[in-house]
Amino acid sequence: WTGDEKAATKVREVERADYDAMHKDYSESVDALERAITVVKDHSHDRKQASLVQVSALKELKLMPEEARRTIDAFLQQDPEGLAVTAPEAAGYEFQSHGIVEMLEKLL
């Protein structure tokens, strides 16, 4: 009888260690998923396109070749009326990861 009791205790200890390891792994995975969802949702907005002010700031870069600087100067010297655009302004980057957020939330 004591042999069976010791064997059963040993089996329970092994199963408990397996459970603890699996629980720790699942807990870490859930925590990582929650943090990933938060990070992706924090970046879930569209970005504007570069404005002419940003383009003119490119001239100040030391690594830019002189020919590129002259080209930017020529572009910026154009008549602003000629640069007028009637099309709606488009975003420089549109957030497209809504499906990823949904998938991550389903994993929880």
Side-chain angles (χ1 to χ4, degrees), residues 59 65-78:
K59 296 186 316 180
E66 188 60 36
E67 181 180 341
R69 289 183 191 173
R70 284 194 302 270
T71 304
I72 291 173
D73 280 335
F75 176 76
L76 294 175
Q77 296 300 324
Q78 292 179 2

Side-chain angles (χ1 to χ4, degrees), residues 48-55 92:
K48 292 184 177 183
Q49 287 196 15
S51 68
L52 291 179
V53 173
Q54 291 170 317
V55 172

Side-chain angles (χ1 to χ4, degrees), residues 3 16 19 28 47 49 54-55 57 67 72 86 96 106:
R16 174 64 186 206
Y19 169 79
E28 290 172 351
R47 274 70 168 183
Q49 287 196 15
Q54 291 170 317
V55 172
E67 181 180 341
I72 291 173
T86 57
Q96 300 177 5
K106 287 179 183 178

Side-chain angles (χ1 to χ4, degrees), residues 79-93:
D79 181 23
E81 294 298 319
L83 296 176
V85 177
T86 57
E89 186 175 328
Y93 170 79

Side-chain angles (χ1 to χ4, degrees), residues 3 12 17 34 42 49-50 56 62 71 75 79 92-93 101 103:
R12 282 193 303 273
E34 289 172 344
D42 286 347
Q49 287 196 15
S56 65
K62 303 292 183 208
T71 304
F75 176 76
D79 181 23
Y93 170 79
V101 172
M103 179 191 66

